[in-house]
Amino acid sequence: MATIVGSIATSHIPAIGGAIAKQKQQDPYWKPFFDGFPPARDWIAKVKPDVAVVFYNDHGLNFFLDKIPTFSIGAAPVYHNADEGWGIPTLAPHQGDEDLSWHLIDALNANEFDMTVCQEMQVDHAFTLPLELLWPGQKCNLRTVPICINTVLFPLPSALRCYRLGQAVGRAIEAWDSDARVLILGTGGLSHQLEGKRAGFMNPEFDQVFMSKLVDDPLWVARYSPPELVELTGTQGVELLNWVAMRGALTGRVSLVHQNYHIPISNTATGLMVLAND
Ligand code: DHB
Ligand code: FE
């Protein structure tokens, strides 16, 4: 049976792609952000994952505002990135894991999650940049399964529903007939708002509590409805739902390996957490 080695949550701001292309990692603006990642890479080298299941939200590349599924999953042999208009390099494609995708699709369907199944799927910065931060130089050769959560257009799924989705994914991975070692990623957040009267809004107090609760009391955040989460974290801060799903997929004893928090990068309060699953 497959093993879930743990999870990593990170912010996914497009400007990171530009900073990497221009090698700005040591620039004073970027250093406190990029310095968070070597301990995460060291942990990856220890736990040796073969497959990454990535909870993230699409920003208009694969789904546009005319059609946005609440929950969708890739079932493709390969996932291509494309120009989203941010002026950053398009990154190399990532290989899929069709066997795990279809196993998850069947298990989720049996567990009352009606996923939109994408046999072709483009992946945006929210998928590619976390992998690039963790395996710099486009060196990520893990097989991948993208799972997309709608965090962009109301109605949004509740934090409890996202946690339950993660739990169903975690149980299914553990029942998967494979000796693969699986890493769960959650991308986005933390607090940020890109548009409107509150553009630039961030809430470090909330972010810090959210991060600390995510380890031992992950349903703490479920006391807030999606509109309340938007109020507390900003219109894009609600991307934290991807972190909640990620945490739901951890089945064992969860412990914090590493975290970093830095504010701001672009318009965003950035967070990074590495959680072991023993
Ligand atoms: C920014 C943050 C995001 O999460 C995103 O998807 C796009 C832009 C930003 O802060 O610039
Ligand atoms: Fe985003």
Side-chain angles (χ1 to χ4, degrees), residues 157-164 219 221-222 224 226 229 240-241 244-245:
S158 69
L160 179 62
R161 186 79 177 139
C162 294
Y163 187 77
R164 297 272 186 254
L219 284 177
V221 70
Y224 300 112
L229 286 174
L240 62 75
L241 292 172
V244 176

Side-chain angles (χ1 to χ4, degrees), residues 16-138:
I16 298 164
I20 292 171
K22 292 180 193 136
Q23 300 192 341
K24 289 194 173 168
Q25 290 90 338
Q26 295 303 314
D27 178 301
Y29 178 82
W30 286 99
K31 189 172 164 43
F33 171 76
F34 280 103
D35 278 356
F37 286 88
R41 292 182 207 127
D42 291 347
W43 177 78
I44 287 172
K46 262 198 271 173
V47 299
K48 298 185 175 40
D50 309 298
V51 185
V53 172
V54 185
F55 290 100
Y56 73 109
N57 60 289
D58 182 82
H59 301 69
L61 181 68
N62 193 64
F63 303 113
F64 200 61
L65 298 181
D66 58 336
K67 302 177 198 74
I68 298 192
T70 302
F71 297 132
S72 53
I73 181 167
V78 63
Y79 299 100
H80 287 273
N81 183 215
D83 185 3
E84 300 172 61
W86 296 104
I88 60 175
T90 297
L91 295 177
H94 288 274
Q95 58 174 327
D97 188 321
E98 289 176 279
D99 187 47
L100 178 56
S101 286
W102 286 107
H103 172 75
L104 288 176
I105 290 159
D106 287 339
L108 290 168
N109 189 54
N111 281 284
E112 300 173 359
F113 282 95
D114 310 310
M115 307 296 288
T116 296
V117 175
C118 303
Q119 297 188 58
E120 292 181 6
M121 192 175 197
Q122 288 189 319
V123 287
D124 75 0
H125 66 276
F127 181 93
T128 57
L129 290 177
L131 294 174
E132 186 55 24
L133 285 162
L134 296 169
W135 288 269
Q138 304 194 56

Side-chain angles (χ1 to χ4, degrees), residues 156-234:
L156 307 183
S158 69
L160 179 62
R161 186 79 177 139
C162 294
Y163 187 77
R164 297 272 186 254
L165 172 70
Q167 284 184 309
V169 167
R171 282 195 305 267
I173 292 170
E174 288 202 326
W176 181 36
D177 186 11
S178 162
D179 58 8
R181 296 173 65 74
V182 182
L183 173 67
I184 315 288
L185 300 183
T187 92
L190 286 172
S191 58
H192 62 302
Q193 168 141 351
L194 300 178
E195 73 287 305
K197 281 202 196 114
R198 291 207 309 167
F201 172 80
M202 287 171 248
N203 187 346
E205 293 76 23
F206 181 91
D207 290 340
Q208 296 286 354
V209 178
F210 172 72
M211 287 175 82
S212 71
K213 294 286 186 189
L214 198 64
V215 183
D216 291 326
D217 185 11
L219 284 177
W220 169 84
V221 70
R223 70 192 57 203
Y224 300 112
S225 68
E228 286 170 338
L229 286 174
V230 167
E231 193 67 38
L232 283 163
T233 69

